[in-house]
Amino acid sequence: MSPDARGFKPLSTVLSRRCGSDPALQQLLEILADTCINVAERLQSSAFRRNTTIAGSQNSNGDLQKPLDLEADAIFETHLALLPNVAALVSEERDDVHWLKEPSAGDFIVCFDPLDGSSNIDVGMVVGSIFSVFRLEEDHQPYDLLSVLSGQNQIAAGYALYGPVTELVLGMGDWIDGYCYDPASGTFYRTHPDMTIATDAKEVAINAAREALWPSPIAQFIRDCFTPKLSGGRGANMRWTASMVADVHRILLRGGVFIYPEDREQNARLRLVYEANPIAFLMRSAGARATNGRDDILSLPVNDLHQKVGVVLGACDAVTYIQTQYEKA
Ligand code: AFP
């Protein structure tokens, strides 16, 4: 029986209601959904093209780029260039903003990590795409583009998860929905309306190999998390997939907290514009929080397209507790 016959609504039906007064944004979100379907198809065929070796190039962060990183980036550009009102792209795989047209008021800017977790590709683990949407308010130039890209200015965000099922999560601030892709019809159907996060943190996502570099508030919180309840701790379990989208999706569905802190040497790993900000936007819509340990991610100034940031996100109680520990440190 088809998903719609079982009561699941197709993406276009949901978005016509969610974006009813903004057909241009609805069209953009539908194009982004198609983009993610195309990336998923490319991934599924990649093993047979021996395409998972390193391309030999590096992105602006110094990360080695795999051919699929570049192919996913090209798929995003090809799809977004179809629309008359997407002025610019900001991608993890491109050093500078890529202008598609002379910008004017009402145009969109789309920021994206086309393939997040790509170091997982060679070993068949889950990867994802992350995107964030802004609308240009004025048509004067030159833009202070970095101030436009502040997290608070996002009008929509989403991610795709390329796992056993291709899943898509979209939000516009006052709502967040989850979809699953039905290959038979080539359509996303909404399976998780109005996602809300569990209030406690039974699972912690952190790369424990970096323990020696954790700042004290994180080290103390993690010690407490992994201390059994019978010994007065939180008795939490640990999960780490090395793919932010996969960890975030699990946390949205069954609660928990994701931590990749700025370490004691002030090094951070995750990128603000096209990883932390879109995920923080979605977390807020689901009743969760996202900080850099001290300050809300969405309030952080954007000083560089590829700036890195510490991230603590998920269940409000855990994120707020960690914030108070930073304040005391
Ligand atoms: P890649 O895209 O280079 O695989 O990095 C993925 C990521 O940005 C994020 O998705 C993970 O949570 C984090 O890095 C994993 O970092 P570690 O490799 O240090 O665990």
Side-chain angles (χ1 to χ4, degrees):
M1 187 164 41
S2 66
D4 43 2
R6 281 173 279 161
F8 296 103
K9 291 188 171 64
L11 178 76
S12 56
T13 303
V14 176
L15 289 185
S16 60
R17 189 167 56 80
R18 292 293 204 187
C19 311
S21 60
D22 194 340
L25 181 57
Q26 176 179 346
Q27 188 183 34
L28 173 58
L29 293 179
E30 289 181 357
I31 282 281
L32 283 164
D34 290 344
T35 302
C36 295
I37 292 169
N38 196 320
V39 172
E41 289 165 349
R42 189 65 62 87
L43 287 169
Q44 282 145 21
S45 67
S46 64
F48 305 106
R49 291 186 285 118
R50 298 186 60 75
N51 192 22
T52 58
T53 53
I54 288 176
S57 59
Q58 292 184 347
N59 62 22
S60 56
N61 299 299
D63 298 332
L64 290 178
Q65 290 175 308
K66 295 182 182 307
L68 281 168
D69 284 317
L70 301 175
E71 287 190 40
D73 178 78
I75 290 170
F76 268 80
E77 177 180 3
T78 302
H79 279 75
L80 292 169
L82 295 171
L83 294 177
N85 48 17
V86 176
L89 309 178
V90 173
S91 168
E92 179 184 15
E93 305 310 330
R94 299 167 192 244
D95 292 351
D96 301 311
V97 61
H98 179 62
W99 289 99
L100 294 174
K101 66 183 285 270
E102 192 63 27
S104 51
D107 283 347
F108 298 110
I109 296 180
V110 182
C111 304
F112 51 90
D113 179 356
L115 205 57
D116 175 62
S118 55
S119 54
N120 279 347
I121 292 172
D122 297 353
V123 293
M125 301 289 284
V126 178
V127 292
S129 299
I130 310 171
F131 51 83
S132 166
V133 178
F134 299 82
R135 177 173 259 139
L136 292 174
E137 298 305 330
E138 302 89 26
D139 53 6
H140 65 73
Q141 286 232 50
Y143 284 104
D144 171 10
L145 185 68
L146 296 179
S147 66
V148 169
L149 298 181
S150 164
Q152 303 284 17
N153 296 339
Q154 294 173 109
I155 62 170
Y159 64 78
L161 187 66
Y162 308 116
V165 173
T166 296
E167 301 199 47
L168 178 71
V169 169
L170 292 175
M172 278 178 60
D174 53 351
W175 58 266
I176 173 172
D177 291 333
Y179 294 81
C180 288
Y181 180 64
D182 172 40
S185 60
T187 304
F188 277 111
Y189 286 88
R190 187 173 64 176
T191 48
H192 297 80
D194 296 309
M195 299 172 86
T196 51
I197 192 170
T199 52
D200 60 356
K202 296 189 184 69
E203 286 182 323
V204 175
I206 191 165
N207 179 348
R210 304 178 63 80
E211 180 177 4
L213 292 168
W214 293 337
S216 56
I218 299 299
Q220 185 264 315
F221 174 74
I222 294 299
R223 268 196 306 278
D224 184 40
C225 280
F226 297 154
T227 298
K229 280 190 174 177
L230 289 176
S231 307
R234 291 175 180 248
N237 194 6
M238 179 184 148
R239 288 282 184 277
W240 186 250
T241 69
S243 175
M244 184 185 194
V245 171
D247 285 318
V248 164
H249 195 62
R250 184 191 60 253
I251 287 166
L252 266 180
L253 293 180
R254 65 184 194 210
V257 62
F258 171 97
I259 303 173
Y260 209 121
E262 182 181 276
D263 66 26
R264 289 211 303 270
E265 294 157 4
Q266 279 73 51
N267 296 316
R269 162 87 180 178
L270 301 175
R271 273 70 69 166
L272 177 60
V273 169
Y274 39 77
E275 288 179 329
N277 266 341
I279 297 297
F281 181 85
L282 294 169
M283 280 287 146
R284 186 178 64 181
S285 307
R289 290 196 65 199
T291 71
N292 61 1
R294 299 179 188 283
D295 304 309
D296 284 344
I297 291 282
L298 296 177
S299 68
L300 298 176
V302 176
N303 305 311
D304 178 273
L305 291 182
H306 303 288
Q307 81 189 59
K308 297 183 178 180
V309 66
V311 175
V312 177
L313 64 81
C316 290
D317 74 333
V319 176
T320 302
Y321 173 82
I322 291 170
Q323 189 175 37
T324 55
Q325 298 311 305
Y326 269 92
E327 287 162 0
K328 292 175 186 169

